[in-house]
Amino acid sequence: MNLTTDQPLTDDEFARLSDFFDAIGPGAMNIEMLDGYFAALICGPEMVPPGEYLAQIWGEDFSFESDEQATGIMSLLMRHWNTIATELRHTLEEPDVYLPVLLEGDDGIAPGNDWAHGFMRGVQTRPASWGELIHDEDHGGPMLPIMMLHYEHDPDPQMRPPPLPPEKREEVLQTVIAGLTHIYRYFEPHRRALASMPTHVPMRRDGAKVGRNEPCPCGSGRKYKHCCLANEPTLH
C-alpha cells in the first residue's frame, strides 16, 4: 500500500515514532511534545525551515543509523505535519478544531503538559513575532491556558499557576483546543503576506551556504540533498 503525505498516521505508525524517540533517550521529544511543537510552527507568523527546527526534535547529537531509517522517519514526520496543517487550514472556512495528540497517564488523565512544552518550544523559534500575540490584550487570551500548562511544574514557584484539579484540567484542555483555532486565524494575515512576497526579492542568509553533499545542518547525519533540501518544499 502506497501512503501519501496527506494521510494521517495510524496508531501503529504513532507507536513506531514513539519507539524511535524512546530509543534516542531524554534528549528527544515524545509524540505529544512533537504535536504541540508542529502546531506552533504551523500556527506561527513566519515559516521556520526544517534545517532549523528538526534538530530540536531529536537533539543536537543525534544521527540516523541509515538512509532507510531516515527516509522512513522523515516520511512519518511529514505526514503528521501535513495532517495538522490541513486540519488547521480547514478551520479558516469551517467552525472546526484540531484535536491535539495527548498522552494519558496511568490514571487515564491526559495532563497536556508535554503538548504545551512542545508548543512553547515552537514559539521560542520566533519569540519576537509571537510576542505580538502574547501581549495583545484583545486577542492574546488563547495563549494563557497553554502557558498555564507549560509552567504548571516550573522549578520557580512564582511561575506556577494554582493547582489544577481533574475537572479544571479538562476545562483548560478544551480551552487550549478551541484557542488553537484563534491563534491560527490571528497569524493568517502574516502568513499570507509572506506568501505573497515576490520570489525574486533577495533574502539575507544567516550563516554559510550548505552544499548539497555536505552534512545536513539539522543534525540528522545525512547529506543535505537527501534530508532537508529534499523535504523542505513538502513540509511547507
PDB file of all heavy atoms in Angstrom, residues 97 99-100 102-105 107-113 145-146 148-149 152 162-179:
ATOM      1  N   VAL A  97     -12.106  22.395  14.795  1.00  0.00           N
ATOM      2  CA  VAL A  97     -10.915  22.494  15.636  1.00  0.00           C
ATOM      3  C   VAL A  97      -9.945  21.377  15.260  1.00  0.00           C
ATOM      4  O   VAL A  97     -10.328  20.379  14.646  1.00  0.00           O
ATOM      5  CB  VAL A  97     -11.246  22.378  17.145  1.00  0.00           C
ATOM      6  CG1 VAL A  97     -12.094  23.551  17.605  1.00  0.00           C
ATOM      7  CG2 VAL A  97     -11.935  21.048  17.459  1.00  0.00           C
ATOM      8  N   LEU A  99      -7.727  18.499  16.914  1.00  0.00           N
ATOM      9  CA  LEU A  99      -7.629  17.752  18.162  1.00  0.00           C
ATOM     10  C   LEU A  99      -6.196  17.287  18.355  1.00  0.00           C
ATOM     11  O   LEU A  99      -5.702  16.445  17.598  1.00  0.00           O
ATOM     12  CB  LEU A  99      -8.578  16.548  18.133  1.00  0.00           C
ATOM     13  CG  LEU A  99     -10.062  16.890  18.046  1.00  0.00           C
ATOM     14  CD1 LEU A  99     -10.895  15.612  17.959  1.00  0.00           C
ATOM     15  CD2 LEU A  99     -10.499  17.726  19.245  1.00  0.00           C
ATOM     16  N   PRO A 100      -5.487  17.840  19.335  1.00  0.00           N
ATOM     17  CA  PRO A 100      -4.070  17.505  19.535  1.00  0.00           C
ATOM     18  C   PRO A 100      -3.877  16.072  20.010  1.00  0.00           C
ATOM     19  O   PRO A 100      -4.793  15.437  20.535  1.00  0.00           O
ATOM     20  CB  PRO A 100      -3.618  18.516  20.590  1.00  0.00           C
ATOM     21  CG  PRO A 100      -4.857  18.880  21.327  1.00  0.00           C
ATOM     22  CD  PRO A 100      -5.959  18.828  20.319  1.00  0.00           C
ATOM     23  N   LEU A 102      -2.615  13.843  22.683  1.00  0.00           N
ATOM     24  CA  LEU A 102      -2.320  13.925  24.107  1.00  0.00           C
ATOM     25  C   LEU A 102      -2.157  12.520  24.670  1.00  0.00           C
ATOM     26  O   LEU A 102      -2.943  11.620  24.341  1.00  0.00           O
ATOM     27  CB  LEU A 102      -3.440  14.656  24.857  1.00  0.00           C
ATOM     28  CG  LEU A 102      -3.742  16.094  24.414  1.00  0.00           C
ATOM     29  CD1 LEU A 102      -4.921  16.648  25.189  1.00  0.00           C
ATOM     30  CD2 LEU A 102      -2.515  16.985  24.597  1.00  0.00           C
ATOM     31  N   LEU A 103      -1.157  12.322  25.507  1.00  0.00           N
ATOM     32  CA  LEU A 103      -0.881  11.019  26.103  1.00  0.00           C
ATOM     33  C   LEU A 103      -1.499  10.949  27.488  1.00  0.00           C
ATOM     34  O   LEU A 103      -1.346  11.864  28.298  1.00  0.00           O
ATOM     35  CB  LEU A 103       0.634  10.791  26.200  1.00  0.00           C
ATOM     36  CG  LEU A 103       1.414  10.860  24.880  1.00  0.00           C
ATOM     37  CD1 LEU A 103       2.905  10.692  25.127  1.00  0.00           C
ATOM     38  CD2 LEU A 103       0.916   9.788  23.901  1.00  0.00           C
ATOM     39  N   GLU A 104      -2.212   9.855  27.743  1.00  0.00           N
ATOM     40  CA  GLU A 104      -2.825   9.658  29.049  1.00  0.00           C
ATOM     41  C   GLU A 104      -1.857   8.990  30.009  1.00  0.00           C
ATOM     42  O   GLU A 104      -1.054   8.146  29.619  1.00  0.00           O
ATOM     43  CB  GLU A 104      -4.082   8.797  28.924  1.00  0.00           C
ATOM     44  CG  GLU A 104      -5.212   9.454  28.154  1.00  0.00           C
ATOM     45  CD  GLU A 104      -6.461   8.599  28.138  1.00  0.00           C
ATOM     46  OE1 GLU A 104      -6.385   7.424  28.601  1.00  0.00           O
ATOM     47  OE2 GLU A 104      -7.511   9.068  27.673  1.00  0.00           O
ATOM     48  N   GLY A 105      -1.939   9.362  31.298  1.00  0.00           N
ATOM     49  CA  GLY A 105      -1.148   8.717  32.335  1.00  0.00           C
ATOM     50  C   GLY A 105      -1.815   7.431  32.789  1.00  0.00           C
ATOM     51  O   GLY A 105      -2.855   7.013  32.259  1.00  0.00           O
ATOM     52  N   ASP A 107      -3.470   6.974  35.288  1.00  0.00           N
ATOM     53  CA  ASP A 107      -4.778   7.267  35.873  1.00  0.00           C
ATOM     54  C   ASP A 107      -5.836   7.592  34.818  1.00  0.00           C
ATOM     55  O   ASP A 107      -6.973   7.918  35.146  1.00  0.00           O
ATOM     56  CB  ASP A 107      -4.674   8.438  36.851  1.00  0.00           C
ATOM     57  CG  ASP A 107      -4.057   9.680  36.220  1.00  0.00           C
ATOM     58  OD1 ASP A 107      -3.768   9.664  35.004  1.00  0.00           O
ATOM     59  OD2 ASP A 107      -3.851  10.672  36.950  1.00  0.00           O
ATOM     60  N   GLY A 108      -5.459   7.495  33.539  1.00  0.00           N
ATOM     61  CA  GLY A 108      -6.401   7.782  32.472  1.00  0.00           C
ATOM     62  C   GLY A 108      -6.579   9.254  32.170  1.00  0.00           C
ATOM     63  O   GLY A 108      -7.408   9.624  31.340  1.00  0.00           O
ATOM     64  N   ILE A 109      -5.812  10.096  32.836  1.00  0.00           N
ATOM     65  CA  ILE A 109      -5.901  11.547  32.638  1.00  0.00           C
ATOM     66  C   ILE A 109      -4.784  12.006  31.707  1.00  0.00           C
ATOM     67  O   ILE A 109      -3.636  11.569  31.843  1.00  0.00           O
ATOM     68  CB  ILE A 109      -5.812  12.289  33.980  1.00  0.00           C
ATOM     69  CG1 ILE A 109      -7.009  11.927  34.867  1.00  0.00           C
ATOM     70  CG2 ILE A 109      -5.756  13.805  33.768  1.00  0.00           C
ATOM     71  CD1 ILE A 109      -6.943  12.536  36.254  1.00  0.00           C
ATOM     72  N   ALA A 110      -5.114  12.877  30.762  1.00  0.00           N
ATOM     73  CA  ALA A 110      -4.122  13.467  29.870  1.00  0.00           C
ATOM     74  C   ALA A 110      -3.706  14.819  30.447  1.00  0.00           C
ATOM     75  O   ALA A 110      -4.483  15.778  30.374  1.00  0.00           O
ATOM     76  CB  ALA A 110      -4.690  13.639  28.471  1.00  0.00           C
ATOM     77  N   PRO A 111      -2.528  14.921  31.055  1.00  0.00           N
ATOM     78  CA  PRO A 111      -2.126  16.189  31.684  1.00  0.00           C
ATOM     79  C   PRO A 111      -1.993  17.343  30.698  1.00  0.00           C
ATOM     80  O   PRO A 111      -2.310  18.479  31.015  1.00  0.00           O
ATOM     81  CB  PRO A 111      -0.787  15.849  32.337  1.00  0.00           C
ATOM     82  CG  PRO A 111      -0.781  14.354  32.465  1.00  0.00           C
ATOM     83  CD  PRO A 111      -1.545  13.862  31.279  1.00  0.00           C
ATOM     84  N   GLY A 112      -1.461  17.063  29.502  1.00  0.00           N
ATOM     85  CA  GLY A 112      -1.304  18.106  28.498  1.00  0.00           C
ATOM     86  C   GLY A 112      -0.049  18.946  28.649  1.00  0.00           C
ATOM     87  O   GLY A 112       0.200  19.836  27.833  1.00  0.00           O
ATOM     88  N   ASN A 113       0.756  18.667  29.675  1.00  0.00           N
ATOM     89  CA  ASN A 113       1.949  19.496  29.901  1.00  0.00           C
ATOM     90  C   ASN A 113       2.953  19.374  28.771  1.00  0.00           C
ATOM     91  O   ASN A 113       3.533  20.380  28.328  1.00  0.00           O
ATOM     92  CB  ASN A 113       2.611  19.120  31.221  1.00  0.00           C
ATOM     93  CG  ASN A 113       1.703  19.275  32.417  1.00  0.00           C
ATOM     94  OD1 ASN A 113       1.265  18.281  32.983  1.00  0.00           O
ATOM     95  ND2 ASN A 113       1.389  20.500  32.800  1.00  0.00           N
ATOM     96  N   PRO A 145      -4.032  29.477  28.585  1.00  0.00           N
ATOM     97  CA  PRO A 145      -4.085  28.091  29.054  1.00  0.00           C
ATOM     98  C   PRO A 145      -2.865  27.274  28.632  1.00  0.00           C
ATOM     99  O   PRO A 145      -2.438  26.369  29.355  1.00  0.00           O
ATOM    100  CB  PRO A 145      -5.373  27.542  28.426  1.00  0.00           C
ATOM    101  CG  PRO A 145      -5.647  28.434  27.271  1.00  0.00           C
ATOM    102  CD  PRO A 145      -5.151  29.787  27.685  1.00  0.00           C
ATOM    103  N   ILE A 146      -2.287  27.584  27.475  1.00  0.00           N
ATOM    104  CA  ILE A 146      -1.076  26.886  27.031  1.00  0.00           C
ATOM    105  C   ILE A 146       0.074  27.210  27.979  1.00  0.00           C
ATOM    106  O   ILE A 146       0.818  26.316  28.415  1.00  0.00           O
ATOM    107  CB  ILE A 146      -0.714  27.281  25.585  1.00  0.00           C
ATOM    108  CG1 ILE A 146      -1.824  26.859  24.624  1.00  0.00           C
ATOM    109  CG2 ILE A 146       0.621  26.642  25.169  1.00  0.00           C
ATOM    110  CD1 ILE A 146      -1.620  27.332  23.199  1.00  0.00           C
ATOM    111  N   MET A 148      -0.242  28.217  31.018  1.00  0.00           N
ATOM    112  CA  MET A 148      -0.571  27.654  32.324  1.00  0.00           C
ATOM    113  C   MET A 148      -0.074  26.212  32.431  1.00  0.00           C
ATOM    114  O   MET A 148       0.544  25.823  33.430  1.00  0.00           O
ATOM    115  CB  MET A 148      -2.095  27.688  32.529  1.00  0.00           C
ATOM    116  CG  MET A 148      -2.549  27.180  33.892  1.00  0.00           C
ATOM    117  SD  MET A 148      -4.363  27.156  34.023  1.00  0.00           S
ATOM    118  CE  MET A 148      -4.717  28.897  33.774  1.00  0.00           C
ATOM    119  N   LEU A 149      -0.307  25.426  31.390  1.00  0.00           N
ATOM    120  CA  LEU A 149       0.163  24.036  31.393  1.00  0.00           C
ATOM    121  C   LEU A 149       1.681  23.966  31.283  1.00  0.00           C
ATOM    122  O   LEU A 149       2.315  23.087  31.869  1.00  0.00           O
ATOM    123  CB  LEU A 149      -0.482  23.271  30.237  1.00  0.00           C
ATOM    124  CG  LEU A 149      -1.995  23.043  30.342  1.00  0.00           C
ATOM    125  CD1 LEU A 149      -2.524  22.415  29.047  1.00  0.00           C
ATOM    126  CD2 LEU A 149      -2.322  22.151  31.533  1.00  0.00           C
ATOM    127  N   GLU A 152       3.146  24.759  34.742  1.00  0.00           N
ATOM    128  CA  GLU A 152       2.500  24.112  35.884  1.00  0.00           C
ATOM    129  C   GLU A 152       3.495  23.528  36.883  1.00  0.00           C
ATOM    130  O   GLU A 152       3.288  23.594  38.097  1.00  0.00           O
ATOM    131  CB  GLU A 152       1.547  23.014  35.408  1.00  0.00           C
ATOM    132  CG  GLU A 152       0.784  22.351  36.555  1.00  0.00           C
ATOM    133  CD  GLU A 152      -0.207  21.323  36.084  1.00  0.00           C
ATOM    134  OE1 GLU A 152      -0.173  20.939  34.889  1.00  0.00           O
ATOM    135  OE2 GLU A 152      -1.020  20.882  36.913  1.00  0.00           O
ATOM    136  N   PRO A 162      -2.018  28.195  39.940  1.00  0.00           N
ATOM    137  CA  PRO A 162      -2.655  27.423  41.015  1.00  0.00           C
ATOM    138  C   PRO A 162      -2.838  25.970  40.587  1.00  0.00           C
ATOM    139  O   PRO A 162      -2.968  25.673  39.399  1.00  0.00           O
ATOM    140  CB  PRO A 162      -4.010  28.122  41.203  1.00  0.00           C
ATOM    141  CG  PRO A 162      -3.793  29.500  40.666  1.00  0.00           C
ATOM    142  CD  PRO A 162      -2.808  29.363  39.549  1.00  0.00           C
ATOM    143  N   PRO A 163      -2.841  25.013  41.534  1.00  0.00           N
ATOM    144  CA  PRO A 163      -3.022  23.590  41.192  1.00  0.00           C
ATOM    145  C   PRO A 163      -4.312  23.370  40.403  1.00  0.00           C
ATOM    146  O   PRO A 163      -5.329  24.038  40.632  1.00  0.00           O
ATOM    147  CB  PRO A 163      -3.087  22.910  42.560  1.00  0.00           C
ATOM    148  CG  PRO A 163      -2.366  23.841  43.485  1.00  0.00           C
ATOM    149  CD  PRO A 163      -2.647  25.224  42.981  1.00  0.00           C
ATOM    150  N   LEU A 164      -4.244  22.417  39.460  1.00  0.00           N
ATOM    151  CA  LEU A 164      -5.384  22.117  38.602  1.00  0.00           C
ATOM    152  C   LEU A 164      -6.044  20.809  39.038  1.00  0.00           C
ATOM    153  O   LEU A 164      -5.469  19.733  38.864  1.00  0.00           O
ATOM    154  CB  LEU A 164      -4.939  21.997  37.145  1.00  0.00           C
ATOM    155  CG  LEU A 164      -4.536  23.271  36.410  1.00  0.00           C
ATOM    156  CD1 LEU A 164      -4.000  22.930  35.031  1.00  0.00           C
ATOM    157  CD2 LEU A 164      -5.717  24.215  36.296  1.00  0.00           C
ATOM    158  N   PRO A 165      -7.261  20.839  39.592  1.00  0.00           N
ATOM    159  CA  PRO A 165      -7.981  19.591  39.851  1.00  0.00           C
ATOM    160  C   PRO A 165      -8.399  18.963  38.529  1.00  0.00           C
ATOM    161  O   PRO A 165      -8.434  19.645  37.497  1.00  0.00           O
ATOM    162  CB  PRO A 165      -9.201  20.059  40.668  1.00  0.00           C
ATOM    163  CG  PRO A 165      -9.384  21.494  40.296  1.00  0.00           C
ATOM    164  CD  PRO A 165      -8.016  22.029  40.011  1.00  0.00           C
ATOM    165  N   PRO A 166      -8.698  17.653  38.512  1.00  0.00           N
ATOM    166  CA  PRO A 166      -9.011  16.959  37.250  1.00  0.00           C
ATOM    167  C   PRO A 166     -10.084  17.645  36.419  1.00  0.00           C
ATOM    168  O   PRO A 166      -9.947  17.779  35.198  1.00  0.00           O
ATOM    169  CB  PRO A 166      -9.454  15.576  37.722  1.00  0.00           C
ATOM    170  CG  PRO A 166      -8.734  15.380  39.015  1.00  0.00           C
ATOM    171  CD  PRO A 166      -8.675  16.737  39.658  1.00  0.00           C
ATOM    172  N   GLU A 167     -11.168  18.090  37.048  1.00  0.00           N
ATOM    173  CA  GLU A 167     -12.245  18.706  36.274  1.00  0.00           C
ATOM    174  C   GLU A 167     -11.809  20.046  35.675  1.00  0.00           C
ATOM    175  O   GLU A 167     -12.212  20.412  34.555  1.00  0.00           O
ATOM    176  CB  GLU A 167     -13.493  18.899  37.137  1.00  0.00           C
ATOM    177  CG  GLU A 167     -13.321  19.828  38.340  1.00  0.00           C
ATOM    178  CD  GLU A 167     -12.754  19.138  39.562  1.00  0.00           C
ATOM    179  OE1 GLU A 167     -12.297  17.974  39.443  1.00  0.00           O
ATOM    180  OE2 GLU A 167     -12.769  19.750  40.643  1.00  0.00           O
ATOM    181  N   LYS A 168     -10.952  20.774  36.385  1.00  0.00           N
ATOM    182  CA  LYS A 168     -10.437  22.034  35.859  1.00  0.00           C
ATOM    183  C   LYS A 168      -9.455  21.791  34.725  1.00  0.00           C
ATOM    184  O   LYS A 168      -9.426  22.544  33.740  1.00  0.00           O
ATOM    185  CB  LYS A 168      -9.765  22.821  36.985  1.00  0.00           C
ATOM    186  CG  LYS A 168      -9.184  24.171  36.549  1.00  0.00           C
ATOM    187  CD  LYS A 168     -10.257  25.137  36.125  1.00  0.00           C
ATOM    188  CE  LYS A 168      -9.673  26.501  35.820  1.00  0.00           C
ATOM    189  NZ  LYS A 168     -10.704  27.473  35.362  1.00  0.00           N
ATOM    190  N   ARG A 169      -8.641  20.728  34.838  1.00  0.00           N
ATOM    191  CA  ARG A 169      -7.681  20.408  33.780  1.00  0.00           C
ATOM    192  C   ARG A 169      -8.406  20.135  32.464  1.00  0.00           C
ATOM    193  O   ARG A 169      -7.988  20.594  31.403  1.00  0.00           O
ATOM    194  CB  ARG A 169      -6.825  19.210  34.173  1.00  0.00           C
ATOM    195  CG  ARG A 169      -5.734  18.885  33.136  1.00  0.00           C
ATOM    196  CD  ARG A 169      -4.867  17.728  33.613  1.00  0.00           C
ATOM    197  NE  ARG A 169      -4.253  18.058  34.879  1.00  0.00           N
ATOM    198  CZ  ARG A 169      -3.164  18.808  35.006  1.00  0.00           C
ATOM    199  NH1 ARG A 169      -2.553  19.290  33.937  1.00  0.00           N
ATOM    200  NH2 ARG A 169      -2.661  19.061  36.199  1.00  0.00           N
ATOM    201  N   GLU A 170      -9.478  19.387  32.529  1.00  0.00           N
ATOM    202  CA  GLU A 170     -10.240  19.081  31.315  1.00  0.00           C
ATOM    203  C   GLU A 170     -10.772  20.370  30.695  1.00  0.00           C
ATOM    204  O   GLU A 170     -10.768  20.530  29.469  1.00  0.00           O
ATOM    205  CB  GLU A 170     -11.403  18.143  31.649  1.00  0.00           C
ATOM    206  CG  GLU A 170     -12.224  17.722  30.443  1.00  0.00           C
ATOM    207  CD  GLU A 170     -11.421  16.954  29.409  1.00  0.00           C
ATOM    208  OE1 GLU A 170     -10.433  16.284  29.781  1.00  0.00           O
ATOM    209  OE2 GLU A 170     -11.784  17.020  28.217  1.00  0.00           O
ATOM    210  N   GLU A 171     -11.195  21.292  31.530  1.00  0.00           N
ATOM    211  CA  GLU A 171     -11.682  22.584  31.037  1.00  0.00           C
ATOM    212  C   GLU A 171     -10.553  23.366  30.364  1.00  0.00           C
ATOM    213  O   GLU A 171     -10.743  23.982  29.310  1.00  0.00           O
ATOM    214  CB  GLU A 171     -12.264  23.389  32.196  1.00  0.00           C
ATOM    215  CG  GLU A 171     -12.796  24.757  31.809  1.00  0.00           C
ATOM    216  CD  GLU A 171     -13.306  25.527  33.010  1.00  0.00           C
ATOM    217  OE1 GLU A 171     -13.835  24.890  33.950  1.00  0.00           O
ATOM    218  OE2 GLU A 171     -13.173  26.773  33.025  1.00  0.00           O
ATOM    219  N   VAL A 172      -9.372  23.328  30.986  1.00  0.00           N
ATOM    220  CA  VAL A 172      -8.218  24.026  30.407  1.00  0.00           C
ATOM    221  C   VAL A 172      -7.848  23.420  29.060  1.00  0.00           C
ATOM    222  O   VAL A 172      -7.578  24.139  28.093  1.00  0.00           O
ATOM    223  CB  VAL A 172      -7.018  23.974  31.377  1.00  0.00           C
ATOM    224  CG1 VAL A 172      -5.740  24.453  30.678  1.00  0.00           C
ATOM    225  CG2 VAL A 172      -7.282  24.833  32.600  1.00  0.00           C
ATOM    226  N   LEU A 173      -7.860  22.084  28.955  1.00  0.00           N
ATOM    227  CA  LEU A 173      -7.523  21.426  27.694  1.00  0.00           C
ATOM    228  C   LEU A 173      -8.526  21.777  26.600  1.00  0.00           C
ATOM    229  O   LEU A 173      -8.148  21.984  25.439  1.00  0.00           O
ATOM    230  CB  LEU A 173      -7.462  19.910  27.894  1.00  0.00           C
ATOM    231  CG  LEU A 173      -6.274  19.397  28.716  1.00  0.00           C
ATOM    232  CD1 LEU A 173      -6.406  17.899  28.954  1.00  0.00           C
ATOM    233  CD2 LEU A 173      -4.949  19.702  28.020  1.00  0.00           C
ATOM    234  N   GLN A 174      -9.801  21.840  26.950  1.00  0.00           N
ATOM    235  CA  GLN A 174     -10.807  22.228  25.969  1.00  0.00           C
ATOM    236  C   GLN A 174     -10.584  23.673  25.516  1.00  0.00           C
ATOM    237  O   GLN A 174     -10.783  24.000  24.336  1.00  0.00           O
ATOM    238  CB  GLN A 174     -12.210  22.070  26.566  1.00  0.00           C
ATOM    239  CG  GLN A 174     -12.631  20.631  26.821  1.00  0.00           C
ATOM    240  CD  GLN A 174     -12.631  19.783  25.559  1.00  0.00           C
ATOM    241  OE1 GLN A 174     -13.019  20.235  24.485  1.00  0.00           O
ATOM    242  NE2 GLN A 174     -12.178  18.541  25.697  1.00  0.00           N
ATOM    243  N   THR A 175     -10.152  24.521  26.420  1.00  0.00           N
ATOM    244  CA  THR A 175      -9.858  25.908  26.072  1.00  0.00           C
ATOM    245  C   THR A 175      -8.642  25.992  25.152  1.00  0.00           C
ATOM    246  O   THR A 175      -8.599  26.802  24.223  1.00  0.00           O
ATOM    247  CB  THR A 175      -9.620  26.749  27.339  1.00  0.00           C
ATOM    248  OG1 THR A 175     -10.737  26.613  28.215  1.00  0.00           O
ATOM    249  CG2 THR A 175      -9.440  28.218  26.994  1.00  0.00           C
ATOM    250  N   VAL A 176      -7.644  25.134  25.405  1.00  0.00           N
ATOM    251  CA  VAL A 176      -6.470  25.072  24.537  1.00  0.00           C
ATOM    252  C   VAL A 176      -6.885  24.695  23.118  1.00  0.00           C
ATOM    253  O   VAL A 176      -6.452  25.315  22.137  1.00  0.00           O
ATOM    254  CB  VAL A 176      -5.437  24.060  25.082  1.00  0.00           C
ATOM    255  CG1 VAL A 176      -4.369  23.767  24.027  1.00  0.00           C
ATOM    256  CG2 VAL A 176      -4.790  24.587  26.351  1.00  0.00           C
ATOM    257  N   ILE A 177      -7.726  23.674  23.008  1.00  0.00           N
ATOM    258  CA  ILE A 177      -8.154  23.194  21.693  1.00  0.00           C
ATOM    259  C   ILE A 177      -8.909  24.280  20.934  1.00  0.00           C
ATOM    260  O   ILE A 177      -8.647  24.538  19.751  1.00  0.00           O
ATOM    261  CB  ILE A 177      -9.016  21.931  21.852  1.00  0.00           C
ATOM    262  CG1 ILE A 177      -8.158  20.768  22.368  1.00  0.00           C
ATOM    263  CG2 ILE A 177      -9.679  21.552  20.523  1.00  0.00           C
ATOM    264  CD1 ILE A 177      -8.951  19.537  22.764  1.00  0.00           C
ATOM    265  N   ALA A 178      -9.849  24.928  21.616  1.00  0.00           N
ATOM    266  CA  ALA A 178     -10.605  25.996  20.970  1.00  0.00           C
ATOM    267  C   ALA A 178      -9.708  27.184  20.629  1.00  0.00           C
ATOM    268  O   ALA A 178      -9.844  27.800  19.566  1.00  0.00           O
ATOM    269  CB  ALA A 178     -11.754  26.446  21.877  1.00  0.00           C
ATOM    270  N   GLY A 179      -8.774  27.490  21.525  1.00  0.00           N
ATOM    271  CA  GLY A 179      -7.906  28.642  21.320  1.00  0.00           C
ATOM    272  C   GLY A 179      -6.922  28.469  20.184  1.00  0.00           C
ATOM    273  O   GLY A 179      -6.498  29.450  19.562  1.00  0.00           O
TER     274      GLY A 179
END
